Amino acid sequence: MKTTNLSLLGAGMALALCAPGVSAQSLFSDNFEVNSSAGWKVNTAGTGSDATFAFNYGALGIPSAPNSGGTTSGLKLRGNQFGSTATFPGGVSVSPIGYSFAGDYSVRFDMWLNFNGPAPAGGSGSTQITGFGIGTAGNTAQVAGGVIDSINFGTTVDGQSSVDYRAYAPAAQTGYTAPSGVFAAGIGTSPDARNNSHPYYAGFGGVSAPAAQLALYGQQTGTTAVGSLGFGWHDVELIKSGTSVKWYVDDLLIATVSTTVAGTLGGGNILLSHYDSNATVSTDALSPDLLFGLIDNLQVTVVPEPSTVALALLGGAGLLVIRRRK
């Protein structure tokens, strides 16, 4: 997963470990290899949204997630994807039953965003959002347009919205704006710090759908927009530390929300979500197969305190320092 930075000062013999252990304590995990739906609360808004546990994404030509060891089972989330009508808000969020997380902790998982092509613009109704967050009661769908009781973040699957990177909280029911200072890309609006076109996100995008998926669905041609996250596995992490909640993708800080100004949270649970930002149903008959967010290898772990773990090199003047990002 993430690389730990090491620095070695001096010399000597390592005899004692100070501070909490380097291996973080696990609070919750699910690799979605088996159907774990009985342990999750599924909350939907509107119609045409669902969650499929232990979904075999390999059947759609998607390669094994980086931390799956070759297996291809995960959690698939869809919004506004079946039925004759759609509503706004429309989507789904899931939370593990009976959990409430406190203190400093990390929520981390592999994420794949899929959409009905062709890329980059996508087919009918392809612009949807996959999200994730903390601090929910876990009883209501945490989707755009609904009642937000959590700090949650999200990103479009195809990079075709004016707001591709999003952050919500009870005090920001319609989402934080670029001038709010929440987004690491800055406070500018031209280009908007939340849009995939901003240079800050230029390291993402420009990739094609897997060849195996293209072989199954001929419409999956083209390459994704620069700055977007579709058609690739990404390492997503939320870190709750003190009063800050930070969102990283592939070690790049995307946004930070302070709990001191976020408003009253509904609880202490986590959430994973997928939703439509419009009251639309795709006219593409294949969109139910191709338009979704995929989560794998979810882990909730304690963030060690202090963040600097020192190995005292007794018998010498040396000091090994291990620094973990916070």
Side-chain angles (χ1 to χ4, degrees), residues 33-69:
E33 290 296 317
V34 298
N35 185 353
S36 57
S37 58
W40 289 80
K41 178 69 183 301
V42 178
N43 301 295
T44 58
T47 59
S49 303
D50 62 3
T52 305
F53 293 79
F55 171 72
N56 178 19
Y57 55 81
L60 292 180
I62 298 173
S64 177
N67 296 289
S68 288

PDB file of all heavy atoms in Angstrom, residues 33-69:
ATOM      1  N   GLU A  33     -14.859 -10.837  -0.717  1.00  0.00           N
ATOM      2  CA  GLU A  33     -14.678 -12.106  -1.411  1.00  0.00           C
ATOM      3  C   GLU A  33     -15.914 -12.992  -1.297  1.00  0.00           C
ATOM      4  O   GLU A  33     -16.175 -13.832  -2.161  1.00  0.00           O
ATOM      5  CB  GLU A  33     -13.453 -12.845  -0.858  1.00  0.00           C
ATOM      6  CG  GLU A  33     -12.121 -12.203  -1.215  1.00  0.00           C
ATOM      7  CD  GLU A  33     -11.866 -12.222  -2.712  1.00  0.00           C
ATOM      8  OE1 GLU A  33     -12.127 -13.254  -3.350  1.00  0.00           O
ATOM      9  OE2 GLU A  33     -11.416 -11.191  -3.248  1.00  0.00           O
ATOM     10  N   VAL A  34     -16.647 -12.831  -0.203  1.00  0.00           N
ATOM     11  CA  VAL A  34     -17.895 -13.572  -0.006  1.00  0.00           C
ATOM     12  C   VAL A  34     -19.023 -12.564   0.180  1.00  0.00           C
ATOM     13  O   VAL A  34     -18.785 -11.384   0.435  1.00  0.00           O
ATOM     14  CB  VAL A  34     -17.814 -14.512   1.219  1.00  0.00           C
ATOM     15  CG1 VAL A  34     -16.718 -15.553   1.015  1.00  0.00           C
ATOM     16  CG2 VAL A  34     -17.568 -13.722   2.500  1.00  0.00           C
ATOM     17  N   ASN A  35     -20.243 -13.020   0.064  1.00  0.00           N
ATOM     18  CA  ASN A  35     -21.401 -12.144   0.202  1.00  0.00           C
ATOM     19  C   ASN A  35     -21.574 -11.735   1.663  1.00  0.00           C
ATOM     20  O   ASN A  35     -22.095 -12.496   2.470  1.00  0.00           O
ATOM     21  CB  ASN A  35     -22.662 -12.838  -0.302  1.00  0.00           C
ATOM     22  CG  ASN A  35     -23.874 -11.920  -0.292  1.00  0.00           C
ATOM     23  OD1 ASN A  35     -23.818 -10.789   0.203  1.00  0.00           O
ATOM     24  ND2 ASN A  35     -24.973 -12.394  -0.831  1.00  0.00           N
ATOM     25  N   SER A  36     -21.128 -10.536   2.000  1.00  0.00           N
ATOM     26  CA  SER A  36     -21.180 -10.027   3.369  1.00  0.00           C
ATOM     27  C   SER A  36     -22.347  -9.062   3.574  1.00  0.00           C
ATOM     28  O   SER A  36     -22.355  -8.294   4.530  1.00  0.00           O
ATOM     29  CB  SER A  36     -19.862  -9.325   3.719  1.00  0.00           C
ATOM     30  OG  SER A  36     -19.594  -8.274   2.802  1.00  0.00           O
ATOM     31  N   SER A  37     -23.342  -9.105   2.690  1.00  0.00           N
ATOM     32  CA  SER A  37     -24.428  -8.134   2.726  1.00  0.00           C
ATOM     33  C   SER A  37     -25.190  -8.144   4.043  1.00  0.00           C
ATOM     34  O   SER A  37     -25.749  -7.112   4.444  1.00  0.00           O
ATOM     35  CB  SER A  37     -25.402  -8.380   1.571  1.00  0.00           C
ATOM     36  OG  SER A  37     -25.943  -9.692   1.619  1.00  0.00           O
ATOM     37  N   ALA A  38     -25.227  -9.294   4.749  1.00  0.00           N
ATOM     38  CA  ALA A  38     -25.947  -9.365   6.023  1.00  0.00           C
ATOM     39  C   ALA A  38     -25.326  -8.452   7.070  1.00  0.00           C
ATOM     40  O   ALA A  38     -25.985  -8.073   8.047  1.00  0.00           O
ATOM     41  CB  ALA A  38     -25.972 -10.804   6.538  1.00  0.00           C
ATOM     42  N   GLY A  39     -24.061  -8.073   6.883  1.00  0.00           N
ATOM     43  CA  GLY A  39     -23.381  -7.205   7.831  1.00  0.00           C
ATOM     44  C   GLY A  39     -23.387  -5.744   7.440  1.00  0.00           C
ATOM     45  O   GLY A  39     -22.726  -4.928   8.096  1.00  0.00           O
ATOM     46  N   TRP A  40     -24.146  -5.409   6.397  1.00  0.00           N
ATOM     47  CA  TRP A  40     -24.168  -4.035   5.905  1.00  0.00           C
ATOM     48  C   TRP A  40     -25.595  -3.513   5.813  1.00  0.00           C
ATOM     49  O   TRP A  40     -26.500  -4.240   5.418  1.00  0.00           O
ATOM     50  CB  TRP A  40     -23.530  -3.955   4.516  1.00  0.00           C
ATOM     51  CG  TRP A  40     -22.053  -4.155   4.511  1.00  0.00           C
ATOM     52  CD1 TRP A  40     -21.385  -5.346   4.571  1.00  0.00           C
ATOM     53  CD2 TRP A  40     -21.054  -3.138   4.427  1.00  0.00           C
ATOM     54  NE1 TRP A  40     -20.032  -5.135   4.527  1.00  0.00           N
ATOM     55  CE2 TRP A  40     -19.798  -3.792   4.438  1.00  0.00           C
ATOM     56  CE3 TRP A  40     -21.095  -1.743   4.327  1.00  0.00           C
ATOM     57  CZ2 TRP A  40     -18.604  -3.086   4.363  1.00  0.00           C
ATOM     58  CZ3 TRP A  40     -19.909  -1.043   4.257  1.00  0.00           C
ATOM     59  CH2 TRP A  40     -18.674  -1.714   4.275  1.00  0.00           C
ATOM     60  N   LYS A  41     -25.787  -2.240   6.154  1.00  0.00           N
ATOM     61  CA  LYS A  41     -27.063  -1.574   5.958  1.00  0.00           C
ATOM     62  C   LYS A  41     -27.017  -0.883   4.591  1.00  0.00           C
ATOM     63  O   LYS A  41     -26.115  -0.079   4.319  1.00  0.00           O
ATOM     64  CB  LYS A  41     -27.304  -0.537   7.061  1.00  0.00           C
ATOM     65  CG  LYS A  41     -28.603   0.253   6.913  1.00  0.00           C
ATOM     66  CD  LYS A  41     -29.827  -0.596   7.144  1.00  0.00           C
ATOM     67  CE  LYS A  41     -31.126   0.196   6.924  1.00  0.00           C
ATOM     68  NZ  LYS A  41     -31.226   1.369   7.831  1.00  0.00           N
ATOM     69  N   VAL A  42     -27.966  -1.219   3.732  1.00  0.00           N
ATOM     70  CA  VAL A  42     -28.042  -0.636   2.399  1.00  0.00           C
ATOM     71  C   VAL A  42     -29.169   0.394   2.386  1.00  0.00           C
ATOM     72  O   VAL A  42     -30.332   0.057   2.641  1.00  0.00           O
ATOM     73  CB  VAL A  42     -28.295  -1.713   1.330  1.00  0.00           C
ATOM     74  CG1 VAL A  42     -28.427  -1.075  -0.046  1.00  0.00           C
ATOM     75  CG2 VAL A  42     -27.161  -2.750   1.339  1.00  0.00           C
ATOM     76  N   ASN A  43     -28.830   1.639   2.110  1.00  0.00           N
ATOM     77  CA  ASN A  43     -29.802   2.733   2.083  1.00  0.00           C
ATOM     78  C   ASN A  43     -29.908   3.278   0.666  1.00  0.00           C
ATOM     79  O   ASN A  43     -28.896   3.662   0.069  1.00  0.00           O
ATOM     80  CB  ASN A  43     -29.366   3.866   3.021  1.00  0.00           C
ATOM     81  CG  ASN A  43     -29.222   3.404   4.461  1.00  0.00           C
ATOM     82  OD1 ASN A  43     -30.199   3.021   5.087  1.00  0.00           O
ATOM     83  ND2 ASN A  43     -28.000   3.443   4.981  1.00  0.00           N
ATOM     84  N   THR A  44     -31.105   3.290   0.128  1.00  0.00           N
ATOM     85  CA  THR A  44     -31.299   3.808  -1.223  1.00  0.00           C
ATOM     86  C   THR A  44     -32.174   5.056  -1.200  1.00  0.00           C
ATOM     87  O   THR A  44     -32.998   5.247  -0.314  1.00  0.00           O
ATOM     88  CB  THR A  44     -31.950   2.760  -2.136  1.00  0.00           C
ATOM     89  OG1 THR A  44     -33.200   2.354  -1.587  1.00  0.00           O
ATOM     90  CG2 THR A  44     -31.041   1.553  -2.300  1.00  0.00           C
ATOM     91  N   ALA A  45     -31.968   5.897  -2.203  1.00  0.00           N
ATOM     92  CA  ALA A  45     -32.804   7.072  -2.423  1.00  0.00           C
ATOM     93  C   ALA A  45     -33.349   6.982  -3.831  1.00  0.00           C
ATOM     94  O   ALA A  45     -32.614   6.680  -4.773  1.00  0.00           O
ATOM     95  CB  ALA A  45     -31.992   8.352  -2.249  1.00  0.00           C
ATOM     96  N   GLY A  46     -34.641   7.227  -3.992  1.00  0.00           N
ATOM     97  CA  GLY A  46     -35.237   7.139  -5.311  1.00  0.00           C
ATOM     98  C   GLY A  46     -35.359   5.703  -5.776  1.00  0.00           C
ATOM     99  O   GLY A  46     -35.491   4.778  -4.977  1.00  0.00           O
ATOM    100  N   THR A  47     -35.275   5.507  -7.078  1.00  0.00           N
ATOM    101  CA  THR A  47     -35.437   4.178  -7.656  1.00  0.00           C
ATOM    102  C   THR A  47     -34.208   3.812  -8.474  1.00  0.00           C
ATOM    103  O   THR A  47     -33.402   4.674  -8.835  1.00  0.00           O
ATOM    104  CB  THR A  47     -36.667   4.133  -8.578  1.00  0.00           C
ATOM    105  OG1 THR A  47     -36.503   5.107  -9.626  1.00  0.00           O
ATOM    106  CG2 THR A  47     -37.935   4.447  -7.804  1.00  0.00           C
ATOM    107  N   GLY A  48     -34.070   2.526  -8.758  1.00  0.00           N
ATOM    108  CA  GLY A  48     -33.039   2.079  -9.686  1.00  0.00           C
ATOM    109  C   GLY A  48     -31.625   2.080  -9.161  1.00  0.00           C
ATOM    110  O   GLY A  48     -30.676   2.204  -9.939  1.00  0.00           O
ATOM    111  N   SER A  49     -31.451   1.936  -7.842  1.00  0.00           N
ATOM    112  CA  SER A  49     -30.113   1.926  -7.247  1.00  0.00           C
ATOM    113  C   SER A  49     -29.938   0.665  -6.416  1.00  0.00           C
ATOM    114  O   SER A  49     -30.885   0.192  -5.780  1.00  0.00           O
ATOM    115  CB  SER A  49     -29.902   3.156  -6.368  1.00  0.00           C
ATOM    116  OG  SER A  49     -30.114   4.348  -7.110  1.00  0.00           O
ATOM    117  N   ASP A  50     -28.724   0.117  -6.392  1.00  0.00           N
ATOM    118  CA  ASP A  50     -28.502  -1.100  -5.625  1.00  0.00           C
ATOM    119  C   ASP A  50     -27.037  -1.295  -5.271  1.00  0.00           C
ATOM    120  O   ASP A  50     -26.153  -0.563  -5.741  1.00  0.00           O
ATOM    121  CB  ASP A  50     -29.041  -2.327  -6.367  1.00  0.00           C
ATOM    122  CG  ASP A  50     -28.359  -2.590  -7.709  1.00  0.00           C
ATOM    123  OD1 ASP A  50     -27.420  -1.861  -8.062  1.00  0.00           O
ATOM    124  OD2 ASP A  50     -28.776  -3.537  -8.418  1.00  0.00           O
ATOM    125  N   ALA A  51     -26.798  -2.285  -4.423  1.00  0.00           N
ATOM    126  CA  ALA A  51     -25.447  -2.681  -4.012  1.00  0.00           C
ATOM    127  C   ALA A  51     -25.335  -4.183  -4.187  1.00  0.00           C
ATOM    128  O   ALA A  51     -26.200  -4.934  -3.719  1.00  0.00           O
ATOM    129  CB  ALA A  51     -25.189  -2.290  -2.563  1.00  0.00           C
ATOM    130  N   THR A  52     -24.288  -4.647  -4.866  1.00  0.00           N
ATOM    131  CA  THR A  52     -24.056  -6.068  -5.082  1.00  0.00           C
ATOM    132  C   THR A  52     -22.752  -6.464  -4.410  1.00  0.00           C
ATOM    133  O   THR A  52     -21.674  -5.994  -4.807  1.00  0.00           O
ATOM    134  CB  THR A  52     -24.001  -6.408  -6.577  1.00  0.00           C
ATOM    135  OG1 THR A  52     -25.192  -5.962  -7.212  1.00  0.00           O
ATOM    136  CG2 THR A  52     -23.847  -7.914  -6.775  1.00  0.00           C
ATOM    137  N   PHE A  53     -22.843  -7.304  -3.395  1.00  0.00           N
ATOM    138  CA  PHE A  53     -21.671  -7.762  -2.653  1.00  0.00           C
ATOM    139  C   PHE A  53     -21.094  -9.011  -3.324  1.00  0.00           C
ATOM    140  O   PHE A  53     -21.817  -9.812  -3.897  1.00  0.00           O
ATOM    141  CB  PHE A  53     -22.043  -8.049  -1.205  1.00  0.00           C
ATOM    142  CG  PHE A  53     -22.416  -6.819  -0.421  1.00  0.00           C
ATOM    143  CD1 PHE A  53     -23.669  -6.240  -0.551  1.00  0.00           C
ATOM    144  CD2 PHE A  53     -21.492  -6.223   0.429  1.00  0.00           C
ATOM    145  CE1 PHE A  53     -24.015  -5.101   0.161  1.00  0.00           C
ATOM    146  CE2 PHE A  53     -21.820  -5.074   1.144  1.00  0.00           C
ATOM    147  CZ  PHE A  53     -23.087  -4.508   1.008  1.00  0.00           C
ATOM    148  N   ALA A  54     -19.760  -9.153  -3.244  1.00  0.00           N
ATOM    149  CA  ALA A  54     -19.051 -10.275  -3.865  1.00  0.00           C
ATOM    150  C   ALA A  54     -19.345 -10.345  -5.365  1.00  0.00           C
ATOM    151  O   ALA A  54     -19.500 -11.423  -5.937  1.00  0.00           O
ATOM    152  CB  ALA A  54     -19.397 -11.592  -3.173  1.00  0.00           C
ATOM    153  N   PHE A  55     -19.413  -9.179  -5.995  1.00  0.00           N
ATOM    154  CA  PHE A  55     -19.646  -9.100  -7.438  1.00  0.00           C
ATOM    155  C   PHE A  55     -18.385  -9.511  -8.183  1.00  0.00           C
ATOM    156  O   PHE A  55     -17.280  -9.034  -7.893  1.00  0.00           O
ATOM    157  CB  PHE A  55     -20.032  -7.676  -7.818  1.00  0.00           C
ATOM    158  CG  PHE A  55     -20.088  -7.425  -9.294  1.00  0.00           C
ATOM    159  CD1 PHE A  55     -21.109  -7.966 -10.051  1.00  0.00           C
ATOM    160  CD2 PHE A  55     -19.119  -6.661  -9.920  1.00  0.00           C
ATOM    161  CE1 PHE A  55     -21.167  -7.742 -11.428  1.00  0.00           C
ATOM    162  CE2 PHE A  55     -19.166  -6.425 -11.279  1.00  0.00           C
ATOM    163  CZ  PHE A  55     -20.192  -6.972 -12.045  1.00  0.00           C
ATOM    164  N   ASN A  56     -18.521 -10.385  -9.166  1.00  0.00           N
ATOM    165  CA  ASN A  56     -17.379 -10.848  -9.948  1.00  0.00           C
ATOM    166  C   ASN A  56     -17.081  -9.854 -11.067  1.00  0.00           C
ATOM    167  O   ASN A  56     -17.592  -9.969 -12.185  1.00  0.00           O
ATOM    168  CB  ASN A  56     -17.643 -12.232 -10.533  1.00  0.00           C
ATOM    169  CG  ASN A  56     -16.481 -12.724 -11.404  1.00  0.00           C
ATOM    170  OD1 ASN A  56     -15.362 -12.215 -11.303  1.00  0.00           O
ATOM    171  ND2 ASN A  56     -16.760 -13.693 -12.256  1.00  0.00           N
ATOM    172  N   TYR A  57     -16.256  -8.865 -10.769  1.00  0.00           N
ATOM    173  CA  TYR A  57     -15.953  -7.841 -11.760  1.00  0.00           C
ATOM    174  C   TYR A  57     -15.035  -8.354 -12.860  1.00  0.00           C
ATOM    175  O   TYR A  57     -14.948  -7.762 -13.942  1.00  0.00           O
ATOM    176  CB  TYR A  57     -15.385  -6.584 -11.105  1.00  0.00           C
ATOM    177  CG  TYR A  57     -14.173  -6.764 -10.221  1.00  0.00           C
ATOM    178  CD1 TYR A  57     -12.891  -6.861 -10.754  1.00  0.00           C
ATOM    179  CD2 TYR A  57     -14.303  -6.787  -8.821  1.00  0.00           C
ATOM    180  CE1 TYR A  57     -11.771  -6.972  -9.939  1.00  0.00           C
ATOM    181  CE2 TYR A  57     -13.188  -6.907  -7.999  1.00  0.00           C
ATOM    182  CZ  TYR A  57     -11.931  -7.008  -8.562  1.00  0.00           C
ATOM    183  OH  TYR A  57     -10.825  -7.134  -7.745  1.00  0.00           O
ATOM    184  N   GLY A  58     -14.381  -9.466 -12.618  1.00  0.00           N
ATOM    185  CA  GLY A  58     -13.544 -10.049 -13.660  1.00  0.00           C
ATOM    186  C   GLY A  58     -14.344 -10.444 -14.888  1.00  0.00           C
ATOM    187  O   GLY A  58     -13.823 -10.457 -16.006  1.00  0.00           O
ATOM    188  N   ALA A  59     -15.629 -10.742 -14.694  1.00  0.00           N
ATOM    189  CA  ALA A  59     -16.494 -11.099 -15.824  1.00  0.00           C
ATOM    190  C   ALA A  59     -16.715  -9.934 -16.763  1.00  0.00           C
ATOM    191  O   ALA A  59     -17.155 -10.130 -17.908  1.00  0.00           O
ATOM    192  CB  ALA A  59     -17.837 -11.611 -15.298  1.00  0.00           C
ATOM    193  N   LEU A  60     -16.419  -8.707 -16.316  1.00  0.00           N
ATOM    194  CA  LEU A  60     -16.532  -7.518 -17.158  1.00  0.00           C
ATOM    195  C   LEU A  60     -15.167  -7.060 -17.674  1.00  0.00           C
ATOM    196  O   LEU A  60     -15.014  -5.932 -18.155  1.00  0.00           O
ATOM    197  CB  LEU A  60     -17.192  -6.375 -16.379  1.00  0.00           C
ATOM    198  CG  LEU A  60     -18.667  -6.579 -16.015  1.00  0.00           C
ATOM    199  CD1 LEU A  60     -19.192  -5.382 -15.253  1.00  0.00           C
ATOM    200  CD2 LEU A  60     -19.502  -6.833 -17.257  1.00  0.00           C
ATOM    201  N   GLY A  61     -14.171  -7.929 -17.553  1.00  0.00           N
ATOM    202  CA  GLY A  61     -12.856  -7.614 -18.078  1.00  0.00           C
ATOM    203  C   GLY A  61     -12.021  -6.721 -17.200  1.00  0.00           C
ATOM    204  O   GLY A  61     -10.983  -6.205 -17.635  1.00  0.00           O
ATOM    205  N   ILE A  62     -12.438  -6.508 -15.951  1.00  0.00           N
ATOM    206  CA  ILE A  62     -11.698  -5.647 -15.035  1.00  0.00           C
ATOM    207  C   ILE A  62     -10.654  -6.481 -14.304  1.00  0.00           C
ATOM    208  O   ILE A  62     -10.984  -7.534 -13.741  1.00  0.00           O
ATOM    209  CB  ILE A  62     -12.649  -4.981 -14.029  1.00  0.00           C
ATOM    210  CG1 ILE A  62     -13.649  -4.084 -14.774  1.00  0.00           C
ATOM    211  CG2 ILE A  62     -11.877  -4.159 -12.993  1.00  0.00           C
ATOM    212  CD1 ILE A  62     -14.736  -3.518 -13.897  1.00  0.00           C
ATOM    213  N   PRO A  63      -9.403  -6.059 -14.300  1.00  0.00           N
ATOM    214  CA  PRO A  63      -8.349  -6.848 -13.653  1.00  0.00           C
ATOM    215  C   PRO A  63      -8.473  -6.845 -12.138  1.00  0.00           C
ATOM    216  O   PRO A  63      -9.151  -6.005 -11.549  1.00  0.00           O
ATOM    217  CB  PRO A  63      -7.064  -6.143 -14.096  1.00  0.00           C
ATOM    218  CG  PRO A  63      -7.483  -4.727 -14.343  1.00  0.00           C
ATOM    219  CD  PRO A  63      -8.885  -4.810 -14.898  1.00  0.00           C
ATOM    220  N   SER A  64      -7.815  -7.786 -11.508  1.00  0.00           N
ATOM    221  CA  SER A  64      -7.805  -7.891 -10.050  1.00  0.00           C
ATOM    222  C   SER A  64      -7.279  -6.608  -9.419  1.00  0.00           C
ATOM    223  O   SER A  64      -6.329  -5.989  -9.911  1.00  0.00           O
ATOM    224  CB  SER A  64      -6.934  -9.074  -9.626  1.00  0.00           C
ATOM    225  OG  SER A  64      -6.847  -9.170  -8.218  1.00  0.00           O
ATOM    226  N   ALA A  65      -7.919  -6.183  -8.323  1.00  0.00           N
ATOM    227  CA  ALA A  65      -7.467  -4.990  -7.596  1.00  0.00           C
ATOM    228  C   ALA A  65      -6.049  -5.201  -7.066  1.00  0.00           C
ATOM    229  O   ALA A  65      -5.628  -6.341  -6.818  1.00  0.00           O
ATOM    230  CB  ALA A  65      -8.421  -4.687  -6.450  1.00  0.00           C
ATOM    231  N   PRO A  66      -5.301  -4.124  -6.878  1.00  0.00           N
ATOM    232  CA  PRO A  66      -3.897  -4.234  -6.459  1.00  0.00           C
ATOM    233  C   PRO A  66      -3.681  -5.044  -5.186  1.00  0.00           C
ATOM    234  O   PRO A  66      -2.640  -5.663  -5.027  1.00  0.00           O
ATOM    235  CB  PRO A  66      -3.475  -2.780  -6.257  1.00  0.00           C
ATOM    236  CG  PRO A  66      -4.373  -2.005  -7.158  1.00  0.00           C
ATOM    237  CD  PRO A  66      -5.682  -2.716  -7.133  1.00  0.00           C
ATOM    238  N   ASN A  67      -4.660  -5.053  -4.285  1.00  0.00           N
ATOM    239  CA  ASN A  67      -4.487  -5.743  -3.010  1.00  0.00           C
ATOM    240  C   ASN A  67      -5.342  -6.996  -2.891  1.00  0.00           C
ATOM    241  O   ASN A  67      -5.622  -7.463  -1.791  1.00  0.00           O
ATOM    242  CB  ASN A  67      -4.808  -4.779  -1.867  1.00  0.00           C
ATOM    243  CG  ASN A  67      -3.848  -3.615  -1.828  1.00  0.00           C
ATOM    244  OD1 ASN A  67      -2.685  -3.756  -1.479  1.00  0.00           O
ATOM    245  ND2 ASN A  67      -4.326  -2.445  -2.213  1.00  0.00           N
ATOM    246  N   SER A  68      -5.734  -7.558  -4.046  1.00  0.00           N
ATOM    247  CA  SER A  68      -6.606  -8.729  -4.037  1.00  0.00           C
ATOM    248  C   SER A  68      -5.897 -10.048  -4.304  1.00  0.00           C
ATOM    249  O   SER A  68      -6.510 -11.104  -4.197  1.00  0.00           O
ATOM    250  CB  SER A  68      -7.732  -8.551  -5.063  1.00  0.00           C
ATOM    251  OG  SER A  68      -8.663  -7.599  -4.624  1.00  0.00           O
ATOM    252  N   GLY A  69      -4.645  -9.996  -4.705  1.00  0.00           N
ATOM    253  CA  GLY A  69      -3.904 -11.240  -4.924  1.00  0.00           C
ATOM    254  C   GLY A  69      -4.434 -12.081  -6.068  1.00  0.00           C
ATOM    255  O   GLY A  69      -4.307 -13.309  -6.063  1.00  0.00           O
TER     256      GLY A  69
END
